[in-house]
Amino acid sequence: DAKTTQPPSMDCAEGRAANLPCNHSTISGNEYVYWYRQIHSQGPQYIIHGLKNNETNEMASLIITEDRKSSTLILPHATLRDTAVYYCIVPIMDSNYQLIWGAGTKLIIKP
Amino acid sequence: DTGVSQNPRHKITKRGQNVTFRCDPISEHNRLYWYRQTLGQGPEFLTYFQNEAQLEKSRLLSDRFSAERPKGSFSTLEIQRTEQGDSAMYLCASSRGAGNNEKLFFGSGTQLSVL
């Protein structure tokens, strides 16, 4: 079973910030939180990952709560090309860090 | 960095036939993963290699499935005696292999349809 919980779908207006939540209440102290996205008919694409501190790169920002039980992926200025399924994943440490994928959040950016 | 390459992109076969897919990982990536994905679901782990060694295999994986990675470079995934339930997208990913702090790079997948 996936160790994370995400809403099945979300909408966001083009040009606005898209905030995608994820709950990972059973996360261990040294487990990272990863975000990937999958655009239709393509393989998943890495977005960002973090351990404790907030992270930012050219694609997105990742905000992790102080207790590490939840996080939010922020796409600061969403475009139509950001329409995709977004996966929040915590690798399972006792299984060679295997990624267990849930169904993710289907994000639809509307013009 | 040319990315992960998978061939073919699409494969249509009749039930009972054998199929083989190929994955070329990013060069110098020592880990290679195979996943399967059906419509509306996230990818499901099948197996993974550290260099040429197959280190883990999903318990859900039928013995009709076999994977190889000779010389630690490209990998092949073979499905024998295909069944309609094998219809799915088969994804390959590679990584440098750095414990729990690593990024996976995925190919575009091979879409298998078993008639």
Side-chain angles (χ1 to χ4, degrees):
Chain A
D1 292 336
K3 296 178 63 176
T4 61
T5 304
Q6 299 177 255
S9 64
M10 292 181 64
D11 294 344
C12 180
E14 187 179 18
R16 305 298 291 267
N19 297 280
L20 291 91
C22 179
N23 288 321
H24 31 80
S25 57
T26 59
I27 194 169
S28 298
N30 54 353
E31 289 178 332
Y32 284 77
V33 180
Y34 281 77
W35 284 83
Y36 286 79
R37 74 179 182 183
Q38 189 171 25
I39 296 170
H40 183 62
S41 297
Q42 297 182 21
Q45 175 191 25
Y46 166 83
I47 301 173
I48 198 167
H49 74 285
L51 182 61
K52 295 179 182 178
N53 300 321
N54 298 336
E55 302 287 345
T56 295
N57 63 21
E58 66 279 4
M59 290 183 68
S61 295
L62 175 60
I63 308 298
I64 302 174
T65 58
E66 193 169 340
D67 64 8
R68 304 215 319 123
K69 292 185 176 182
S70 65
S71 60
T72 301
L73 179 75
I74 301 173
L75 308 178
H77 305 287
T79 71
L80 298 178
R81 287 179 294 181
D82 292 322
T83 292
V85 178
Y86 287 76
Y87 297 96
C88 168
I89 303 165
V90 174
I92 296 177
M93 289 182 61
D94 60 358
S95 184
N96 285 302
Y97 307 108
Q98 292 310 303
L99 302 184
I100 305 298
W101 302 67
T105 295
K106 171 68 173 178
L107 175 66
I108 298 174
I109 306 300
K110 297 187 172 180
Chain B
D1 188 339
T2 57
V4 177
S5 176
Q6 291 190 248
N7 287 289
R9 283 299 312 274
H10 300 90
K11 178 71 176 177
I12 300 173
T13 190
K14 292 183 178 179
R15 188 176 55 186
Q17 298 294 305
N18 299 343
V19 294
T20 300
F21 311 139
R22 177 178 171 126
C23 172
D24 288 273
I26 294 171
S27 57
E28 299 178 358
H29 276 189
N30 52 34
R31 286 191 179 181
L32 186 148
Y33 302 79
W34 285 99
Y35 285 83
R36 176 172 62 190
Q37 186 174 28
T38 53
L39 198 61
Q41 302 297 316
E44 173 191 24
F45 169 76
L46 294 180
T47 189
Y48 105 97
F49 293 82
Q50 176 87 23
N51 299 313
E52 67 274 11
Q54 188 173 15
L55 294 188
E56 190 152 345
K57 200 172 169 181
S58 169
R59 296 187 196 94
L60 302 176
L61 199 60
S62 161
D63 57 8
R64 295 184 295 106
F65 287 68
S66 62
E68 294 182 343
R69 192 183 181 196
K71 303 178 183 177
S73 55
F74 72 93
S75 176
T76 58
L77 177 70
E78 182 182 16
I79 308 174
Q80 296 182 328
R81 306 180 303 282
T82 53
E83 301 173 356
Q84 288 185 326
D86 297 331
S87 295
M89 172 77 81
Y90 290 84
L91 293 163
C92 175
S94 69
S95 71
R96 294 184 186 277
N100 68 335
N101 182 18
E102 63 176 54
K103 302 182 280 190
L104 267 62
F105 294 83
F106 283 83
S108 296
T110 294
Q111 181 67 52
L112 173 66
S113 298
V114 181
L115 305 179

Tab-separated table of all heavy atoms in Angstrom, chain A residues 30-32 34 36 38 41-44 46 49 87 93 95-99 101-103, chain B residues 9 31 33 35 37 40-43 45 48 56 91 99-104 106-108:
chain	number	residue	atom	x	y	z
A	30	ASN	N	14.335	9.533	8.406
A	30	ASN	CA	15.299	9.743	7.327
A	30	ASN	C	14.742	9.351	5.960
A	30	ASN	O	15.501	9.024	5.046
A	30	ASN	CB	16.589	8.981	7.623
A	30	ASN	CG	16.317	7.519	7.893
A	30	ASN	OD1	15.160	7.110	7.986
A	30	ASN	ND2	17.357	6.722	8.002
A	31	GLU	N	13.431	9.343	5.843
A	31	GLU	CA	12.809	9.066	4.552
A	31	GLU	C	12.490	10.368	3.831
A	31	GLU	O	11.947	11.304	4.412
A	31	GLU	CB	11.522	8.249	4.732
A	31	GLU	CG	11.786	6.819	5.163
A	31	GLU	CD	10.491	6.038	5.371
A	31	GLU	OE1	9.462	6.663	5.711
A	31	GLU	OE2	10.516	4.800	5.203
A	32	TYR	N	12.804	10.392	2.547
A	32	TYR	CA	12.564	11.566	1.736
A	32	TYR	C	11.138	11.550	1.188
A	32	TYR	O	10.513	10.490	1.059
A	32	TYR	CB	13.542	11.612	0.563
A	32	TYR	CG	14.935	12.030	0.936
A	32	TYR	CD1	15.808	11.147	1.563
A	32	TYR	CD2	15.386	13.314	0.651
A	32	TYR	CE1	17.091	11.538	1.919
A	32	TYR	CE2	16.668	13.721	0.987
A	32	TYR	CZ	17.506	12.828	1.622
A	32	TYR	OH	18.781	13.217	1.964
A	34	TYR	N	9.241	12.467	-2.302
A	34	TYR	CA	9.489	12.715	-3.722
A	34	TYR	C	8.187	13.097	-4.420
A	34	TYR	O	7.109	12.606	-4.080
A	34	TYR	CB	10.013	11.448	-4.415
A	34	TYR	CG	11.466	11.168	-4.179
A	34	TYR	CD1	11.908	10.624	-2.979
A	34	TYR	CD2	12.406	11.438	-5.171
A	34	TYR	CE1	13.247	10.368	-2.758
A	34	TYR	CE2	13.751	11.183	-4.963
A	34	TYR	CZ	14.159	10.654	-3.759
A	34	TYR	OH	15.491	10.397	-3.550
A	36	TYR	N	6.723	13.288	-8.430
A	36	TYR	CA	6.857	13.043	-9.870
A	36	TYR	C	5.545	13.466	-10.517
A	36	TYR	O	4.507	13.547	-9.861
A	36	TYR	CB	7.073	11.556	-10.168
A	36	TYR	CG	8.441	11.026	-9.830
A	36	TYR	CD1	8.773	10.707	-8.511
A	36	TYR	CD2	9.388	10.811	-10.818
A	36	TYR	CE1	10.030	10.208	-8.193
A	36	TYR	CE2	10.650	10.308	-10.508
A	36	TYR	CZ	10.959	10.022	-9.201
A	36	TYR	OH	12.205	9.519	-8.886
A	38	GLN	N	3.204	12.822	-14.335
A	38	GLN	CA	3.080	12.025	-15.548
A	38	GLN	C	2.074	12.698	-16.467
A	38	GLN	O	0.878	12.767	-16.146
A	38	GLN	CB	2.651	10.600	-15.224
A	38	GLN	CG	2.703	9.668	-16.412
A	38	GLN	CD	2.491	8.224	-16.017
A	38	GLN	OE1	1.873	7.916	-14.996
A	38	GLN	NE2	2.994	7.294	-16.833
A	41	SER	N	0.348	9.634	-21.628
A	41	SER	CA	1.088	8.810	-22.589
A	41	SER	C	2.601	8.955	-22.504
A	41	SER	O	3.305	8.532	-23.419
A	41	SER	CB	0.653	9.116	-24.033
A	41	SER	OG	-0.698	8.791	-24.202
A	42	GLN	N	3.088	9.549	-21.431
A	42	GLN	CA	4.526	9.649	-21.238
A	42	GLN	C	4.919	8.950	-19.943
A	42	GLN	O	4.079	8.634	-19.103
A	42	GLN	CB	4.975	11.111	-21.184
A	42	GLN	CG	4.716	11.884	-22.461
A	42	GLN	CD	5.218	13.305	-22.381
A	42	GLN	OE1	6.079	13.629	-21.556
A	42	GLN	NE2	4.697	14.168	-23.229
A	43	GLY	N	6.218	8.687	-19.778
A	43	GLY	CA	6.699	8.154	-18.514
A	43	GLY	C	6.719	9.233	-17.448
A	43	GLY	O	6.719	10.426	-17.747
A	44	PRO	N	6.718	8.826	-16.172
A	44	PRO	CA	6.784	9.815	-15.098
A	44	PRO	C	8.049	10.663	-15.183
A	44	PRO	O	9.098	10.202	-15.653
A	44	PRO	CB	6.785	8.956	-13.827
A	44	PRO	CG	6.112	7.693	-14.231
A	44	PRO	CD	6.540	7.469	-15.652
A	46	TYR	N	10.533	13.264	-12.880
A	46	TYR	CA	10.911	13.746	-11.556
A	46	TYR	C	10.681	15.256	-11.471
A	46	TYR	O	10.986	16.004	-12.409
A	46	TYR	CB	12.386	13.435	-11.292
A	46	TYR	CG	12.983	14.173	-10.109
A	46	TYR	CD1	12.824	13.686	-8.815
A	46	TYR	CD2	13.697	15.351	-10.302
A	46	TYR	CE1	13.375	14.372	-7.738
A	46	TYR	CE2	14.253	16.028	-9.233
A	46	TYR	CZ	14.088	15.537	-7.956
A	46	TYR	OH	14.623	16.212	-6.893
A	49	HIS	N	12.398	16.685	-4.610
A	49	HIS	CA	12.305	15.875	-3.409
A	49	HIS	C	12.916	16.634	-2.241
A	49	HIS	O	13.695	17.587	-2.445
A	49	HIS	CB	12.948	14.500	-3.592
A	49	HIS	CG	14.453	14.498	-3.617
A	49	HIS	ND1	15.179	14.941	-4.707
A	49	HIS	CD2	15.357	14.088	-2.703
A	49	HIS	CE1	16.466	14.781	-4.466
A	49	HIS	NE2	16.606	14.276	-3.261
A	87	TYR	N	2.319	12.637	-8.514
A	87	TYR	CA	2.494	11.586	-7.520
A	87	TYR	C	3.412	12.063	-6.400
A	87	TYR	O	4.515	12.563	-6.659
A	87	TYR	CB	3.121	10.344	-8.148
A	87	TYR	CG	2.293	9.667	-9.220
A	87	TYR	CD1	2.507	9.928	-10.562
A	87	TYR	CD2	1.299	8.744	-8.865
A	87	TYR	CE1	1.762	9.284	-11.544
A	87	TYR	CE2	0.555	8.100	-9.840
A	87	TYR	CZ	0.790	8.383	-11.180
A	87	TYR	OH	0.050	7.755	-12.138
A	93	MET	N	12.119	2.179	2.872
A	93	MET	CA	13.528	1.952	3.163
A	93	MET	C	13.879	0.481	3.277
A	93	MET	O	14.968	0.071	2.948
A	93	MET	CB	13.916	2.665	4.453
A	93	MET	CG	13.971	4.158	4.318
A	93	MET	SD	14.496	4.915	5.845
A	93	MET	CE	16.116	4.203	6.021
A	95	SER	N	12.972	-1.954	1.635
A	95	SER	CA	12.813	-2.697	0.379
A	95	SER	C	13.656	-2.043	-0.708
A	95	SER	O	13.166	-1.773	-1.793
A	95	SER	CB	11.347	-2.739	-0.026
A	95	SER	OG	11.172	-3.522	-1.189
A	96	ASN	N	14.931	-1.848	-0.370
A	96	ASN	CA	15.824	-1.204	-1.333
A	96	ASN	C	15.254	0.096	-1.872
A	96	ASN	O	15.408	0.395	-3.051
A	96	ASN	CB	16.150	-2.157	-2.490
A	96	ASN	CG	17.128	-3.236	-2.073
A	96	ASN	OD1	18.228	-2.941	-1.633
A	96	ASN	ND2	16.725	-4.474	-2.176
A	97	TYR	N	14.569	0.814	-1.025
A	97	TYR	CA	14.047	2.130	-1.393
A	97	TYR	C	13.122	2.061	-2.593
A	97	TYR	O	13.140	2.923	-3.458
A	97	TYR	CB	15.203	3.101	-1.641
A	97	TYR	CG	16.164	3.135	-0.482
A	97	TYR	CD1	17.421	2.576	-0.576
A	97	TYR	CD2	15.776	3.703	0.720
A	97	TYR	CE1	18.289	2.594	0.506
A	97	TYR	CE2	16.631	3.727	1.801
A	97	TYR	CZ	17.895	3.175	1.682
A	97	TYR	OH	18.747	3.202	2.743
A	98	GLN	N	12.280	1.031	-2.621
A	98	GLN	CA	11.339	0.921	-3.716
A	98	GLN	C	10.270	1.996	-3.627
A	98	GLN	O	9.826	2.378	-2.547
A	98	GLN	CB	10.662	-0.446	-3.711
A	98	GLN	CG	11.615	-1.574	-4.048
A	98	GLN	CD	12.397	-1.273	-5.305
A	98	GLN	OE1	11.839	-1.024	-6.355
A	98	GLN	NE2	13.716	-1.241	-5.196
A	99	LEU	N	9.865	2.474	-4.774
A	99	LEU	CA	8.811	3.466	-4.841
A	99	LEU	C	7.471	2.759	-4.952
A	99	LEU	O	7.278	1.937	-5.834
A	99	LEU	CB	9.007	4.381	-6.048
A	99	LEU	CG	10.326	5.150	-6.123
A	99	LEU	CD1	10.309	6.072	-7.337
A	99	LEU	CD2	10.560	5.942	-4.851
A	101	TRP	N	3.710	3.547	-5.649
A	101	TRP	CA	2.947	4.633	-6.242
A	101	TRP	C	1.462	4.463	-5.941
A	101	TRP	O	0.911	3.383	-6.120
A	101	TRP	CB	3.136	4.645	-7.758
A	101	TRP	CG	4.540	4.775	-8.219
A	101	TRP	CD1	5.541	3.857	-8.059
A	101	TRP	CD2	5.117	5.880	-8.925
A	101	TRP	NE1	6.700	4.326	-8.618
A	101	TRP	CE2	6.477	5.551	-9.163
A	101	TRP	CE3	4.619	7.089	-9.384
A	101	TRP	CZ2	7.334	6.412	-9.833
A	101	TRP	CZ3	5.475	7.943	-10.066
A	101	TRP	CH2	6.815	7.599	-10.277
A	102	GLY	N	0.828	5.521	-5.504
A	102	GLY	CA	-0.629	5.541	-5.395
A	102	GLY	C	-1.217	5.982	-6.727
A	102	GLY	O	-0.556	5.909	-7.761
A	103	ALA	N	-2.436	6.450	-6.687
A	103	ALA	CA	-3.105	6.885	-7.914
A	103	ALA	C	-2.803	8.348	-8.246
A	103	ALA	O	-3.124	8.812	-9.330
A	103	ALA	CB	-4.609	6.691	-7.803
B	9	ARG	N	7.671	1.260	-28.907
B	9	ARG	CA	6.728	2.124	-28.186
B	9	ARG	C	5.381	1.436	-28.022
B	9	ARG	O	4.696	1.616	-27.023
B	9	ARG	CB	6.537	3.442	-28.933
B	9	ARG	CG	7.661	4.427	-28.789
B	9	ARG	CD	7.898	4.877	-27.334
B	9	ARG	NE	6.693	5.264	-26.619
B	9	ARG	CZ	6.142	6.469	-26.643
B	9	ARG	NH1	6.662	7.426	-27.379
B	9	ARG	NH2	5.056	6.719	-25.926
B	31	ARG	N	21.547	1.542	-11.628
B	31	ARG	CA	20.284	0.896	-11.282
B	31	ARG	C	19.299	1.011	-12.436
B	31	ARG	O	19.200	2.055	-13.084
B	31	ARG	CB	19.668	1.527	-10.021
B	31	ARG	CG	20.389	1.119	-8.757
B	31	ARG	CD	19.617	1.536	-7.531
B	31	ARG	NE	20.291	1.133	-6.312
B	31	ARG	CZ	19.842	1.357	-5.098
B	31	ARG	NH1	18.696	2.004	-4.935
B	31	ARG	NH2	20.524	0.958	-4.046
B	33	TYR	N	15.160	-0.175	-13.386
B	33	TYR	CA	13.893	-0.642	-12.837
B	33	TYR	C	12.905	-0.926	-13.969
B	33	TYR	O	12.882	-0.230	-14.977
B	33	TYR	CB	13.259	0.434	-11.950
B	33	TYR	CG	14.107	0.909	-10.790
B	33	TYR	CD1	15.133	1.823	-10.973
B	33	TYR	CD2	13.852	0.463	-9.496
B	33	TYR	CE1	15.896	2.275	-9.908
B	33	TYR	CE2	14.604	0.920	-8.417
B	33	TYR	CZ	15.626	1.820	-8.639
B	33	TYR	OH	16.377	2.268	-7.581
B	35	TYR	N	8.686	-1.221	-14.346
B	35	TYR	CA	7.384	-1.012	-13.743
B	35	TYR	C	6.312	-1.347	-14.776
B	35	TYR	O	6.540	-1.300	-15.984
B	35	TYR	CB	7.196	0.455	-13.319
B	35	TYR	CG	7.943	0.873	-12.079
B	35	TYR	CD1	9.283	1.252	-12.141
B	35	TYR	CD2	7.311	0.917	-10.837
B	35	TYR	CE1	9.956	1.647	-11.003
B	35	TYR	CE2	7.973	1.317	-9.696
B	35	TYR	CZ	9.300	1.681	-9.788
B	35	TYR	OH	9.974	2.085	-8.655
B	37	GLN	N	2.158	-0.339	-15.664
B	37	GLN	CA	1.104	0.627	-15.315
B	37	GLN	C	-0.146	0.354	-16.128
B	37	GLN	O	-0.091	0.270	-17.362
B	37	GLN	CB	1.586	2.055	-15.579
B	37	GLN	CG	0.617	3.124	-15.116
B	37	GLN	CD	1.186	4.514	-15.265
B	37	GLN	OE1	2.026	4.775	-16.124
B	37	GLN	NE2	0.731	5.446	-14.420
B	40	GLY	N	-5.281	4.524	-15.208
B	40	GLY	CA	-5.831	5.111	-13.995
B	40	GLY	C	-5.087	4.749	-12.718
B	40	GLY	O	-5.473	5.198	-11.632
B	41	GLN	N	-4.040	3.955	-12.856
B	41	GLN	CA	-3.260	3.546	-11.684
B	41	GLN	C	-1.839	4.073	-11.773
B	41	GLN	O	-1.344	4.379	-12.861
B	41	GLN	CB	-3.211	2.012	-11.599
B	41	GLN	CG	-4.574	1.349	-11.528
B	41	GLN	CD	-5.338	1.744	-10.291
B	41	GLN	OE1	-4.789	1.786	-9.190
B	41	GLN	NE2	-6.612	2.058	-10.454
B	42	GLY	N	-1.187	4.157	-10.619
B	42	GLY	CA	0.220	4.506	-10.627
B	42	GLY	C	1.052	3.317	-11.071
B	42	GLY	O	0.565	2.185	-11.122
B	43	PRO	N	2.315	3.546	-11.403
B	43	PRO	CA	3.186	2.431	-11.800
B	43	PRO	C	3.331	1.408	-10.675
B	43	PRO	O	3.366	1.760	-9.500
B	43	PRO	CB	4.520	3.133	-12.087
B	43	PRO	CG	4.150	4.539	-12.420
B	43	PRO	CD	2.970	4.849	-11.548
B	45	PHE	N	5.729	-1.687	-9.271
B	45	PHE	CA	7.090	-2.209	-9.357
B	45	PHE	C	7.096	-3.671	-9.800
B	45	PHE	O	6.316	-4.489	-9.306
B	45	PHE	CB	7.763	-2.081	-7.984
B	45	PHE	CG	9.071	-2.809	-7.862
B	45	PHE	CD1	10.211	-2.291	-8.442
B	45	PHE	CD2	9.155	-4.014	-7.172
B	45	PHE	CE1	11.423	-2.959	-8.333
B	45	PHE	CE2	10.349	-4.683	-7.055
B	45	PHE	CZ	11.487	-4.159	-7.630
B	48	TYR	N	14.136	-4.903	-10.222
B	48	TYR	CA	15.190	-3.932	-10.437
B	48	TYR	C	16.565	-4.585	-10.402
B	48	TYR	O	16.745	-5.660	-9.823
B	48	TYR	CB	15.064	-2.757	-9.469
B	48	TYR	CG	16.021	-2.688	-8.317
B	48	TYR	CD1	17.165	-1.896	-8.406
B	48	TYR	CD2	15.760	-3.350	-7.128
B	48	TYR	CE1	18.031	-1.791	-7.339
B	48	TYR	CE2	16.617	-3.251	-6.060
B	48	TYR	CZ	17.754	-2.459	-6.160
B	48	TYR	OH	18.617	-2.354	-5.096
B	56	GLU	N	15.905	-7.493	-6.845
B	56	GLU	CA	14.587	-7.618	-6.262
B	56	GLU	C	13.557	-7.855	-7.356
B	56	GLU	O	13.683	-7.338	-8.465
B	56	GLU	CB	14.221	-6.370	-5.464
B	56	GLU	CG	12.957	-6.536	-4.643
B	56	GLU	CD	12.948	-5.674	-3.403
B	56	GLU	OE1	14.005	-5.161	-3.009
B	56	GLU	OE2	11.852	-5.506	-2.836
B	91	LEU	N	7.080	0.317	-18.132
B	91	LEU	CA	7.980	1.444	-17.980
B	91	LEU	C	9.337	0.984	-17.460
B	91	LEU	O	9.423	0.124	-16.585
B	91	LEU	CB	7.397	2.456	-16.981
B	91	LEU	CG	6.126	3.186	-17.410
B	91	LEU	CD1	5.439	3.807	-16.204
B	91	LEU	CD2	6.456	4.261	-18.433
B	99	GLY	N	21.007	5.110	-2.638
B	99	GLY	CA	20.187	4.871	-1.473
B	99	GLY	C	18.841	5.529	-1.585
B	99	GLY	O	18.181	5.452	-2.614
B	100	ASN	N	18.429	6.214	-0.521
B	100	ASN	CA	17.095	6.793	-0.516
B	100	ASN	C	17.088	8.236	-0.973
B	100	ASN	O	16.125	8.954	-0.751
B	100	ASN	CB	16.478	6.674	0.881
B	100	ASN	CG	17.197	7.550	1.890
B	100	ASN	OD1	18.358	7.879	1.714
B	100	ASN	ND2	16.512	7.916	2.945
B	101	ASN	N	18.172	8.663	-1.611
B	101	ASN	CA	18.217	10.034	-2.100
B	101	ASN	C	18.593	9.997	-3.571
B	101	ASN	O	19.688	10.379	-3.949
B	101	ASN	CB	19.234	10.844	-1.293
B	101	ASN	CG	19.271	12.298	-1.732
B	101	ASN	OD1	18.353	12.788	-2.378
B	101	ASN	ND2	20.342	12.982	-1.399
B	102	GLU	N	17.705	9.474	-4.368
B	102	GLU	CA	18.015	9.366	-5.780
B	102	GLU	C	16.781	9.638	-6.613
B	102	GLU	O	15.657	9.421	-6.184
B	102	GLU	CB	18.552	7.978	-6.113
B	102	GLU	CG	17.561	6.846	-5.856
B	102	GLU	CD	18.113	5.510	-6.306
B	102	GLU	OE1	19.205	5.150	-5.869
B	102	GLU	OE2	17.448	4.841	-7.108
B	103	LYS	N	17.037	10.141	-7.809
B	103	LYS	CA	15.977	10.433	-8.745
B	103	LYS	C	15.921	9.324	-9.778
B	103	LYS	O	16.955	8.879	-10.256
B	103	LYS	CB	16.259	11.762	-9.452
B	103	LYS	CG	16.402	12.947	-8.538
B	103	LYS	CD	16.618	14.215	-9.331
B	103	LYS	CE	18.035	14.383	-9.785
B	103	LYS	NZ	18.275	15.734	-10.349
B	104	LEU	N	14.715	8.931	-10.124
B	104	LEU	CA	14.524	7.975	-11.200
B	104	LEU	C	14.215	8.723	-12.482
B	104	LEU	O	13.433	9.678	-12.491
B	104	LEU	CB	13.382	7.010	-10.872
B	104	LEU	CG	13.773	5.692	-10.194
B	104	LEU	CD1	14.422	5.954	-8.854
B	104	LEU	CD2	12.573	4.782	-10.077
B	106	PHE	N	12.670	8.064	-16.166
B	106	PHE	CA	11.821	7.094	-16.846
B	106	PHE	C	11.890	7.248	-18.362
B	106	PHE	O	12.052	8.366	-18.882
B	106	PHE	CB	10.358	7.269	-16.424
B	106	PHE	CG	10.040	6.700	-15.081
B	106	PHE	CD1	10.292	7.422	-13.934
B	106	PHE	CD2	9.487	5.429	-14.959
B	106	PHE	CE1	10.006	6.892	-12.679
B	106	PHE	CE2	9.187	4.898	-13.718
B	106	PHE	CZ	9.448	5.634	-12.577
B	107	GLY	N	11.715	6.118	-19.033
B	107	GLY	CA	11.498	6.149	-20.456
B	107	GLY	C	10.030	6.422	-20.758
B	107	GLY	O	9.211	6.591	-19.845
B	108	SER	N	9.705	6.449	-22.040
B	108	SER	CA	8.324	6.736	-22.447
B	108	SER	C	7.426	5.504	-22.400
B	108	SER	O	6.226	5.625	-22.603
B	108	SER	CB	8.310	7.332	-23.848
B	108	SER	OG	8.966	8.586	-23.856
